[in-house]
Amino acid sequence: MRPNRICFSRTELAPHHREAGKAIVCREVGRAALLAALNDSYDATFRAPAMRQAVAHPNGFVKLPLGVVTHSEGRLFLHVWLTGIEDTQAHDHRWDFSSTVLRGALYNTVLDVAQADGGQAAAAPQSSIHRVVRYQPHEGGFRFDARNEGRVDVAVRPTRVVTAGERYGMSAFTFHQARAVPGTMTLVARGAPLKRYARVLTQGDVPEERQRWRHVSQAERLGYLRDALDCFA
């Protein structure tokens, strides 16, 4: 199935724009970004990303930087979901984003988070107490800062299934968990960072030492880009 024909405007990924669901990539822009990354050929529309290497994200997908949209500073990525497992931790982001499913299906669950009262769980159904830790890029990788930012009560909303041709978008300050059918591909448009770190919700310990990204080979990266272009055929 072809993705919906949707638009990408000059202002939709501006740093001040907070309605992430409106930061949308149209068919022509998505295909052009994939071709630019595949051929390493950028122009006035797209600039090369600061880091071109694809990395294996700990949440179960390969993250491929595609380019920076010159007129808006929006950043485009291809995510290839490999394992089908759920995110290891619920989290928010450093930026607003919108994600269009090119193939497969993604299951997105938004979480309602409120400050816990004295560490005691609220009486709301499907709620539980989590600790908030920071997640930050760090010297070719990432690290967690487990200094206590407080404890929160988490309630789970109904999961939304997003299939090929559909999209979803969220604010940088929205917590969620996602999982996908293995082989799912999503085209992600994100704005400039709005904060220095993301927040992760955990009920256990997190490693505080720096963790390096695992880079994906160039041959594997090119294969994913070609597969994604097939979604536009």
Side-chain angles (χ1 to χ4, degrees):
M1 180 184 296
R2 293 185 177 184
N4 294 341
R5 185 181 180 86
I6 46 184
C7 295
F8 182 95
S9 75
R10 183 176 298 271
T11 59
E12 280 167 341
L13 283 178
H16 65 275
H17 190 77
R18 306 305 286 273
E19 293 295 326
K22 297 181 181 178
I24 297 165
V25 177
C26 71
R27 182 177 181 80
E28 291 79 5
V29 171
R31 184 174 184 277
L34 289 165
L35 283 170
L38 179 64
N39 299 321
D40 195 20
S41 175
Y42 295 89
D43 54 25
T45 303
F46 295 107
R47 299 199 313 273
M51 185 183 75
R52 304 190 196 190
Q53 289 181 296
V55 298
H57 196 281
N59 278 348
F61 56 85
V62 173
K63 178 180 177 181
L64 296 87
L66 300 180
V68 180
V69 182
T70 303
H71 65 64
S72 71
E73 298 300 314
R75 293 154 171 81
L76 301 181
F77 297 81
L78 175 68
H79 289 180
V80 184
W81 297 77
L82 300 180
T83 64
I85 63 173
E86 192 169 24
D87 288 349
T88 50
Q89 291 106 0
H91 59 277
D92 67 0
H93 300 85
R94 295 191 300 132
W95 15 258
D96 298 341
F97 78 95
S98 177
S99 181
T100 302
V101 177
L102 300 181
R103 75 179 189 192
L106 184 140
Y107 301 82
N108 186 52
T109 305
V110 173
L111 307 174
D112 290 319
V113 175
Q115 193 70 33
D117 182 11
Q120 299 299 314
Q126 293 184 287
S127 64
S128 59
I129 296 296
H130 289 68
R131 185 164 56 107
V132 181
V133 299
R134 295 183 180 185
Y135 168 94
Q136 289 180 280
H138 186 74
E139 297 178 1
F142 60 93
R143 65 171 299 177
F144 293 102
D145 181 351
R147 287 177 294 183
N148 191 2
E149 286 201 344
R151 298 171 69 83
V152 293
D153 184 55
V154 178
V156 179
R157 295 189 194 178
T159 296
R160 177 189 172 192
V161 183
V162 189
T163 58
E166 298 179 332
R167 66 181 185 269
Y168 73 100
M170 293 192 302
S171 157
F173 300 92
T174 300
F175 285 95
H176 81 137
Q177 284 184 296
R179 61 184 176 89
V181 173
T184 293
M185 289 185 167
T186 55
L187 184 63
V188 178
R190 79 180 204 200
L194 300 175
K195 50 188 178 174
R196 292 184 297 105
Y197 57 87
R199 296 171 296 171
V200 171
L201 305 180
T202 179
Q203 291 180 305
D205 295 329
V206 294
E208 293 193 64
E209 66 275 8
R210 182 187 59 144
Q211 301 181 62
R212 297 193 65 85
W213 289 117
R214 182 175 69 81
H215 292 117
V216 171
S217 72
Q218 179 69 350
E220 188 175 351
R221 171 183 175 271
L222 294 176
Y224 290 140
L225 292 172
R226 294 189 186 100
D227 285 349
L229 279 167
D230 287 344
C231 299
F232 291 82

